[in-house]
Amino acid sequence: MKHRYLPMTETDKKAMLEQIGISDVQELFNDIPESVQFKGEYNIKKAKSETALLKELTLLAAKNADLRSHTSFLGAGVYDHYMPVIVDHVLSRSEFYTAYTPYQPEISQGELQAIFEFQTMICELTGMDVANSSMYDGGTALAEAAMLSSGHTKRKKVLLSSTVHPETKEVVKAYAKGQYVEVVEIPYRDGVTDLDALKSEMDDTIAAVIVQYPNFFGRIEPMKELEEIIHSGKAMFVVSSNPLSLGALTPPGAFGADIVAGDAQPFGIPTSFGGPHCGYFAVTNKLVRKIPGRLVGQTKDDQGRRGFVLTLQAREQHIRRDKATSNICSNQALNALAASVAMTALGKKGVREMAVSNIQKAHYAKQAFKNKGFTVAFDGPSFNEFVVELNQPVKEVNQQLLKEGIIGGYDLGRDYPQLKNHMLVAVTELRTKEEIDLFVDRMGDYHA
Amino acid sequence: MHKEDQALIFELSTSGRVGYSLPEMDIPEVNIDDLIPTDYIRTAEPNLPEVSELDIMRHYTALSRRNHGVDSGFYPLGSCTMKYNPKINENVARFAGFAHLHPLQDESSVQGALELMYDLQEHLIEITGMDEVTLQPAAGAHGEWTGLMLIRAYHEANGDTKRTKVIVPDSAHGTNPASATVAGFETITVKSDENGLVDLDDLRNVVGEDTAALMLTNPNTLGLFEENILEMASIVHEAGGKLYYDGANLNAVLSKARPGDMGFDVVHLNLHKTFTGPHGGGGPGSGPVGVKKDLIPFLPKPVVTKKDREFVLDYDRPQSIGRVKPYYGNFGINVRAYTYIRTMGPDGLKAVTEYAVLNANYMMRRLQPYFDLPFDRHCKHEFVLSGKRQKKLGVRTLDIAKRLLDFGYHPPTIYFPLNVEECIMIEPTETESKETLDAFIEAMIQIAKEAEENPEIVQEAPHTTVIGRLDETTAARKPILRYQV
């Protein structure tokens, strides 16, 4: 057969078979036992030409209501943000996207340096000493943080605030089961972690306390009080943060966090139906040799030129095998590059301006809901999300909104039975006054 | 700074420059101090660079020129399947209807995305010969861990709690034992025999009532098909264990043999290898897991299913191991893999494997006179050479790899698998032309001659790269892991 990705001609093939000393390619597969040989071809769809396939998939994509043609107030861990157009231009450099992991530093300096810069930017935003080269996403990064804490403290129990992203909580629990770590949820009160409940669970068996800041309801957690309680119990203070929020908010590092993990999706990474995004993982210096995944370090060549290498690899699976600090191998390098470009474009002024814009616009929307007669649940200092109470199921309201080109907020009743008819609304810097006003207007009939 | 150093983006920063264009603030602003308590307002600015848009493009363009990808040149990196990354995949993944979907939108508004996932699952079920597939795991190692958690849940559901051990061959990828550990198992190693295959007697010795699973790559990391696979399957199954297939080497057997037919119970695939999701400099990948019927109840939730003519996310899975990842996997990579499969079709995928294997065998036979060939038999999609002969001349495998850089090639995988001395592992893939293979072979032959006649040129390589061999010892001893302003 002829195919544009398969360059061998019949003449080539003949010469190669001759070199090998066989007459038919099938002879190369005769070591597969007869009874397990697959005969014939897969029963799958026939190949399409480039044009026909593009048309089919264009139509398939058009069946979806995307965030470019709709106005979204949906967040809950994944956000529709300003994406500097240059991000995709950099990502489209195929020297980056068609490369493998930079195990050969002499021809991988570009990738290695970009990751070194990413590590630096994550440290700057989180206020931590060391960041790795990325994790799969915020959920698995936090799960790895829980596992690191358990390994480091040799304690087998972690406390998880109920205001952490519900899907992330499930991932933490799945990882914890793997390593026989017990997970206990701490309830919330008034929309933030219940400090009294936390105190009553603290004892010398607790490896870590995991909180999200800003939390799943958009609220700012009482970080100072949390830190005191957690560290007085000699447990590790593990924080999941939206890194964009840290452009305006005091970073977890300044509150004494031991591990900060999260997702860099708000920086230049498309929502992409939930993945790939870009987990990040940052720690204090004392945990540097326990950190999971790849780390890039600076060094020199024999002529004194600055260069970068993958380093401290004795932590990793390809060296330590069953004693590795994690099994992670592939990470999200290309999306770490995307996040780096976006963070670079924003720079120190832009990241603050964008974060503040989120706070301002969400506040404006929150006030507009209040003015319309809505009850805002858990009202208090928040980043770009807040909770409104409705008089009917969120799913039904969202189906009505969709008809008007609006993607409504998240149905909290899915994860919190007591929060039936509660909608988590996200307002990013992208939403205009006009869009917010229209949204609040269309929600008008649904207030509780 | 050395005069030849590539500037860091932070070193290009000038106060007052901007590279962004944020949306207008079209709402009345409130004093931020009235919204956020003072202690929670950031005081010290993060030290991010201040550069213009052109500065950014020049910086990253310069970095890209210091990087080698498949589009730059041949990349015969064993076990990694560095084949061509089709450009149509990139176009499709960027369609707004795929790239800009929120994972928590109402199901009715993402029917196209769910349909694609469902159809990809169906294709992967046929390709692997399994009964069900989940697309949730983010990468190969993540798929391994997911698969092992499924096996653990299966044994536990049967009250079989003494199965604490996972067996892996000594030639296995490092992720296998690491995944076993994080899934709560102890790893037992089974030896390879003199033919490079799993030693059946040793396998019989190590299996028992405590065996949870055997993890196997087939063809194995030496590029050899485990001919005794059916016997191995019956040894493990008779002992009550499950058989796990590491799909890293699936490119070798498309349309030739299916893991499901070989007796495997669980399979993970690396869509970023066999199915051309680009490697991205180390990710993102995608690591779907396929299972046989008896493991379906334990799959991570939600599962994409079809109900009448609607595609739905099924969360009602009481025996599920839970979630291994928020949302539904690396959808963007799955879109690319789906596009690739639809570009190739059944006859195309068959040709992929035939050419991948033909290319590897051709290279192996042409290089055989110049390097030690530890296993002299037909290989699959990759093969290993040993640099033992060159080592006696003072030229190590590492030197050979570095010398290849001077010819513009990415070197093969070296020093892996661990059971071959001075190992050089070559995987050409099917997308390379004969001219490319021949030119690489000539370079290898020249290096073999240099090792005899002029070893210094190899030992001191590379000579043409932007930087020489780096001091990795100091990098690890005194780690500098971030730029300090």
Side-chain angles (χ1 to χ4, degrees), chain A residues 92-153:
Chain A
S92 300
R93 296 287 305 190
S94 66
E95 297 89 338
F96 289 127
Y97 81 81
T98 73
Y100 191 70
T101 307
Y103 286 130
Q104 293 291 338
E106 296 89 345
I107 53 167
S108 311
Q109 282 302 300
E111 175 72 31
L112 287 161
Q113 181 172 329
I115 295 297
F116 182 80
E117 293 173 358
F118 171 80
Q119 292 174 181
T120 306
M121 293 182 206
I122 294 296
C123 288
E124 285 292 333
L125 279 171
T126 56
M128 302 300 283
D129 301 322
V130 184
N132 78 0
S133 66
S134 74
M135 307 295 283
Y136 305 134
D137 54 37
T140 56
L142 201 63
E144 291 268 13
M147 297 307 101
L148 189 166
S149 304
S150 171
H152 182 69
T153 58

Side-chain angles (χ1 to χ4, degrees), chain A residues 19-294:
Chain A
Q19 175 76 40
I20 299 166
I22 56 172
S23 57
D24 186 351
V25 174
Q26 187 54 39
E27 289 178 50
L28 298 172
F29 297 93
N30 287 346
D31 51 356
I32 301 176
E34 175 72 21
S35 63
V36 300
Q37 282 192 20
F38 185 83
K39 310 282 186 184
E41 289 176 354
Y42 293 137
N43 180 23
I44 58 173
K45 288 180 180 167
K46 297 270 175 266
K48 276 198 173 178
S49 70
E50 188 170 274
T51 310
L53 187 58
L54 279 173
K55 183 166 185 191
E56 181 194 319
L57 296 176
T58 300
L59 294 174
L60 187 63
K63 287 187 186 175
N64 301 315
D66 65 74
L67 304 181
R68 287 291 174 272
S69 55
H70 290 65
T71 306
S72 171
F73 293 90
L74 183 56
V78 180
Y79 303 93
D80 184 22
H81 282 297
Y82 162 56
M83 290 181 32
V85 296
I86 53 166
V87 173
D88 203 42
H89 287 269
V90 172
L91 285 204
S92 300
R93 296 287 305 190
S94 66
E95 297 89 338
F96 289 127
Y97 81 81
T98 73
Y100 191 70
T101 307
Y103 286 130
Q104 293 291 338
E106 296 89 345
I107 53 167
S108 311
Q109 282 302 300
E111 175 72 31
L112 287 161
Q113 181 172 329
I115 295 297
F116 182 80
E117 293 173 358
F118 171 80
Q119 292 174 181
T120 306
M121 293 182 206
I122 294 296
C123 288
E124 285 292 333
L125 279 171
T126 56
M128 302 300 283
D129 301 322
V130 184
N132 78 0
S133 66
S134 74
M135 307 295 283
Y136 305 134
D137 54 37
T140 56
L142 201 63
E144 291 268 13
M147 297 307 101
L148 189 166
S149 304
S150 171
H152 182 69
T153 58
K154 303 198 167 46
R155 296 173 174 186
K156 285 296 207 183
K157 188 168 163 185
V158 299
L159 304 181
L160 181 59
S161 170
S162 55
T163 64
V164 170
H165 192 299
E167 298 201 6
T168 293
K169 283 194 292 193
E170 289 179 51
V171 177
V172 171
K173 286 173 188 169
Y175 273 68
K177 183 165 189 339
Q179 302 199 34
Y180 300 94
V181 173
E182 187 190 350
V183 179
V184 175
E185 273 201 45
I186 304 298
Y188 63 82
R189 189 198 289 168
D190 302 330
V192 295
T193 308
D194 184 336
L195 296 176
D196 292 330
L198 174 63
K199 271 183 212 154
S200 69
E201 286 288 343
M202 286 300 298
D203 61 37
D204 61 7
T205 67
I206 310 297
V209 179
I210 304 173
V211 301
Q212 183 174 320
Y213 160 78
N215 73 22
F216 188 63
F217 303 135
R219 286 289 311 277
I220 290 167
E221 287 277 336
M223 297 290 278
K224 282 197 295 189
E225 292 80 358
L226 284 164
E227 191 274 337
E228 279 166 30
I229 297 167
I230 296 164
H231 281 159
S232 66
K234 296 203 164 44
M236 294 179 71
F237 185 19
V238 176
V239 182
S240 167
S241 274
N242 173 346
L244 171 64
S245 73
L246 305 181
L249 302 180
T250 305
F255 287 112
D258 298 291
I259 305 176
V260 184
D263 207 304
Q265 183 270 326
F267 291 126
I269 297 170
T271 48
S272 193
F273 204 40
H277 294 163
C278 179
Y280 72 84
F281 199 103
V283 298
T284 54
N285 269 328
K286 68 172 194 272
L287 294 173
V288 62
R289 282 167 205 273
K290 300 270 172 83
I291 201 167
R294 296 170 183 149

Side-chain angles (χ1 to χ4, degrees), chain A residues 303-334:
Chain A
Q303 293 176 48
R305 292 177 291 199
R306 178 170 65 192
F308 302 90
V309 291
L310 291 174
T311 193
L312 302 179
Q313 293 188 68
R315 302 162 294 112
E316 290 186 70
Q317 49 78 28
H318 62 288
I319 309 285
R320 282 296 285 282
R321 300 175 77 85
D322 60 326
K323 302 285 190 295
T325 56
S326 163
N327 70 328
I328 192 168
C329 182
S330 282
N331 51 29
Q332 307 286 117
L334 193 68

Side-chain angles (χ1 to χ4, degrees), chain A residues 28 38 42-43 45 56 63 65 67 94 97 99 124 137 167 223-224 250 272-273 299 331 353 360, chain B residues 20 30 39-40 42 87 99-101 105 109 115 119 126 255-256 281-282 325 327 342 380 471 482:
Chain A
L28 298 172
F38 185 83
Y42 293 137
N43 180 23
K45 288 180 180 167
E56 181 194 319
K63 287 187 186 175
L67 304 181
S94 66
Y97 81 81
E124 285 292 333
D137 54 37
E167 298 201 6
M223 297 290 278
K224 282 197 295 189
T250 305
S272 193
F273 204 40
T299 185
N331 51 29
E353 199 179 317
Q360 295 279 2
Chain B
Y20 63 93
V30 179
D39 290 348
Y40 289 84
R42 183 168 191 138
K87 304 309 158 194
H100 302 293
L101 289 188
Q105 282 177 231
S109 69
E115 184 178 338
D119 206 34
E126 168 68 8
S255 306
K256 296 295 174 188
K325 188 184 182 315
Y327 321 117
R342 299 293 314 281
K380 285 287 151 303
D471 181 356
R482 54 161 298 179

Side-chain angles (χ1 to χ4, degrees), chain B residues 104 108 118 169 367 387 460 473:
Chain B
L104 301 170
S108 66
Y118 183 81
L367 289 170
E460 289 161 16
T473 313

